Amino acid sequence: QVQLVESGGGLVQAGGSLRLSCVASERTFNWNGWFRQAPGKEREFVATIRFNGVGTYYADSVKGRFTISRDNAKNTVHLQMNSLKPEDTAVYYCAGNVNALGDPRFRQGYTYWGQGTQVTVSS
């Protein structure tokens, strides 16, 4: 069973930064993504990166502020979050997509999920 474990969440003031990490038990995914879910809202796409690190997608709400990267030698994906806003407050989930086709921004394409890490941005 493939496992994904997130870390790096916490409490930060608006304008601050956090770096999330996701370690996979093995490298089997075509895409590694980050999603987030705020209280009372649906889980939404944040960013994703292809297995070779070349292809990336970002939600419009985080473009220019968040950067996704990966270290395949360590089976790790990072999400660097800068200029954080209170509306970024959510539980952030790491996810793995084994599909070679389809839009990697859609949640339905992700089969494996981590437990989530809380990010809270205070105003």
Side-chain angles (χ1 to χ4, degrees), residues 5 23 50 76:
V5 180
V23 180
R50 202 171 175 209
T76 302

Side-chain angles (χ1 to χ4, degrees), residues 58-80:
Y58 294 92
D60 288 343
S61 59
V62 307
K63 278 181 183 176
R65 300 188 298 122
F66 291 11
T67 303
I68 191 170
S69 62
R70 67 187 304 144
D71 182 347
N72 284 342
K74 298 180 180 179
N75 290 344
T76 302
V77 175
H78 302 288
L79 185 68
Q80 179 66 42

Side-chain angles (χ1 to χ4, degrees), residues 23-103:
V23 180
S25 57
E26 56 186 274
R27 187 180 72 83
T28 59
F29 307 121
N30 279 303
W31 294 89
N32 283 83
W34 287 96
F35 291 75
R36 66 186 181 186
Q37 188 166 16
K41 294 187 177 181
E42 291 192 356
R43 193 170 299 187
E44 65 176 4
F45 168 75
V46 175
T48 191
I49 186 167
R50 202 171 175 209
F51 72 95
N52 59 7
V54 174
T56 58
Y57 290 98
Y58 294 92
D60 288 343
S61 59
V62 307
K63 278 181 183 176
R65 300 188 298 122
F66 291 11
T67 303
I68 191 170
S69 62
R70 67 187 304 144
D71 182 347
N72 284 342
K74 298 180 180 179
N75 290 344
T76 302
V77 175
H78 302 288
L79 185 68
Q80 179 66 42
M81 306 187 295
N82 298 329
S83 302
L84 283 162
K85 305 174 181 180
E87 50 264 44
D88 293 318
T89 295
V91 177
Y92 283 70
Y93 296 91
C94 174
N97 184 334
V98 299
N99 298 317
L101 301 176
D103 192 324

